[in-house]
Amino acid sequence: MIAINGKIFTQRMSGLGRFAFEVTRRLLDAGTHMVIYTPNKPLHDDYQSLANWIHRDSFGMHPFLWELFRLPVLLGKSGCSLLWSPANIGPIFPGVPHYLTLHDLTFIHDATWMDRLPRLLYRTLIPLICKGTEYLISPTEVIRQEVLAHLPEKPAGHVLMCHQGGDHVPLRDSSPPEQPLDSEKYFVFLGNIDRRKNLARIVDAWALARKKVDQPLKLYIIGAVKFKGNYSIDVEDASIEIRSNLDDAAVFALLSQARGLLFPSLYEGFGFPMLEAMRSGCPVITSNIGAMAEVAGSAALLVDPHSAQEIATAIVDLCRSDELHGKLVGMGFERQKTFTWDRTAHYYLDLFSRECR
């Protein structure tokens, strides 16, 4: 039987939660025998379909400490043959073979990307946790290579890579809309406000682009309800609107008619918004570095994320050229086919099955 570290399921669904949920649901659909352990907190509404497999611990402990120290106690009594931790953190001494999905190494990069205390904790704990794992699984080859460089004592054969999916988003018909887009073209930024998302430079690029486009433009910043790392931006431009608390259906509806997604991040582990946009028929402007370039391939406009001018040029090109817009929509539809949750779950199922034989 497989044990899952389910702390992530007590929190509102995020990118990590989406990954954990989509893979777990498919493992259950495949008939996998498992139990999902959670700390003494209610299961979040986003994950109620998993309720029948949840073992909620009655022991009162902070969730962060719970997965480090209390979870191994439960595993020792469970008879489970392995533990999967899907969201970066797990026990230091698990007591059973531990498979950890490590999504990124943000904490080893720019010190301004995280608050000081979380960064210090991650820099200290992640190497200790990884030392006790059987396998580490990264979402992109870029991150896998980072892990190998940062944890040289980990055998390369035990640091794996499995791309994630994007087909939780309804697929829009790839044919062009019968009606033209609204006269006011709009772009979308999707994500939290923190420095690595590069939003301040996006705002600068937006100002440059608007000077070169002779028609109304709008930029919707979606989901950026939390300012991270003591970081904020001033948005005084009336053409920029922050929209928060939108459900998935509303977000995907906005993407389906957007002129483009602005996603020139400085660093990502994977980058779900790119696939969500591609499945919605929305062209993508993203970075020419790291996981963004790996996931987008040639199906996006790749720009230097440090150059507001390059980002602005891509915005202008996409505004002016219907041919370019249509080409990127078609290429995006083809590219997103590579990334399915069934494929991801099948990889994990095969990996776990080797241990359970």
Side-chain angles (χ1 to χ4, degrees), residues 11 19-21 34 52 70 93 106 113 117 133 136 161 165 172 206 225 239 264 268 280 283 301 308-309 346 354:
Q11 305 165 13
F19 160 75
F21 173 73
M34 66 171 62
N52 290 339
R70 171 65 179 171
F93 303 107
T106 302
W113 291 355
L117 180 57
T133 60
L136 297 173
M161 189 282 289
R172 201 196 83 180
W206 184 253
V225 295
S239 70
E268 295 284 344
S280 300
L301 290 180
Q309 185 60 61
H346 190 267
R354 297 176 209 166

Side-chain angles (χ1 to χ4, degrees), residues 183-238:
S183 58
E184 183 177 70
K185 293 176 179 169
Y186 67 86
F187 287 75
V188 170
F189 165 87
L190 186 57
N192 289 318
I193 296 179
D194 62 50
R195 292 183 188 276
R196 67 187 177 93
K197 297 295 185 180
N198 210 20
L199 188 52
R201 195 168 280 115
I202 289 173
V203 171
D204 290 342
W206 184 253
L208 294 173
R210 287 188 65 224
K211 294 176 182 178
K212 298 181 179 180
V213 177
D214 297 326
Q215 63 183 108
L217 287 179
K218 195 85 173 179
L219 171 59
Y220 292 113
I221 298 174
I222 301 176
V225 295
K226 183 178 180 182
F227 291 79
K228 294 185 175 182
N230 297 317
Y231 175 60
S232 63
I233 61 168
D234 293 323
V235 179
E236 299 178 354
D237 190 332

Side-chain angles (χ1 to χ4, degrees), residues 131 307 319:
K131 186 176 181 180
S307 171
C319 282

Side-chain angles (χ1 to χ4, degrees), residues 295-326:
V295 173
S298 60
L301 290 180
L302 302 181
V303 298
D304 177 358
H306 299 282
S307 171
Q309 185 60 61
E310 276 201 29
I311 300 169
T313 298
I315 294 171
V316 172
D317 289 346
L318 201 47
C319 282
R320 289 177 174 172
S321 175
D322 290 337
E323 180 181 357
L324 176 61
H325 179 276

Side-chain angles (χ1 to χ4, degrees), residues 79-322:
C80 291
S81 54
L82 68 86
L83 168 69
W84 176 43
S85 294
N88 292 327
I89 299 290
I92 297 175
F93 303 107
V96 297
H98 185 198
Y99 293 60
L100 174 72
T101 302
L102 189 57
H103 295 264
D104 61 64
L105 296 180
T106 302
F107 57 90
I108 70 170
H109 291 278
D110 193 319
T112 65
W113 291 355
M114 295 180 70
D115 289 332
R116 184 176 180 181
L117 180 57
R119 184 170 183 265
L120 178 61
L121 283 173
Y122 271 64
R123 288 177 70 91
T124 303
L125 288 174
I126 291 293
L128 293 175
I129 293 168
C130 291
K131 186 176 181 180
T133 60
E134 184 73 18
Y135 286 99
L136 297 173
I137 307 100
S138 300
T140 53
E141 183 59 28
V142 168
I143 299 301
R144 178 177 178 270
Q145 293 301 323
E146 276 195 358
V147 172
L148 289 171
H150 188 65
L151 302 170
E153 70 280 1
K154 202 72 180 175
H158 286 250
V159 180
L160 310 176
M161 189 282 289
C162 177
H163 283 145
Q164 298 175 5
D167 51 338
H168 54 279
V169 180
L171 185 64
R172 201 196 83 180
D173 185 356
S174 60
S175 60
E178 293 183 5
Q179 299 296 326
L181 296 175
D182 293 341
S183 58
E184 183 177 70
K185 293 176 179 169
Y186 67 86
F187 287 75
V188 170
F189 165 87
L190 186 57
N192 289 318
I193 296 179
D194 62 50
R195 292 183 188 276
R196 67 187 177 93
K197 297 295 185 180
N198 210 20
L199 188 52
R201 195 168 280 115
I202 289 173
V203 171
D204 290 342
W206 184 253
L208 294 173
R210 287 188 65 224
K211 294 176 182 178
K212 298 181 179 180
V213 177
D214 297 326
Q215 63 183 108
L217 287 179
K218 195 85 173 179
L219 171 59
Y220 292 113
I221 298 174
I222 301 176
V225 295
K226 183 178 180 182
F227 291 79
K228 294 185 175 182
N230 297 317
Y231 175 60
S232 63
I233 61 168
D234 293 323
V235 179
E236 299 178 354
D237 190 332
S239 70
I240 300 177
E241 181 179 331
I242 296 178
R243 291 193 174 187
S244 58
N245 299 320
L246 297 182
D247 61 20
D248 284 350
V251 171
F252 303 149
L254 268 176
L255 284 172
S256 70
Q257 290 296 310
R259 194 65 178 180
L261 172 76
L262 302 185
F263 198 71
S265 295
L266 298 172
Y267 182 79
E268 295 284 344
F270 186 72
F272 286 125
M274 293 185 290
L275 297 182
E276 292 171 343
M278 289 176 182
R279 287 186 63 85
S280 300
C282 174
V284 174
I285 297 172
T286 192
S287 304
N288 60 5
I289 58 173
M292 294 74 69
E294 179 177 333
V295 173
S298 60
L301 290 180
L302 302 181
V303 298
D304 177 358
H306 299 282
S307 171
Q309 185 60 61
E310 276 201 29
I311 300 169
T313 298
I315 294 171
V316 172
D317 289 346
L318 201 47
C319 282
R320 289 177 174 172
S321 175
D322 290 337

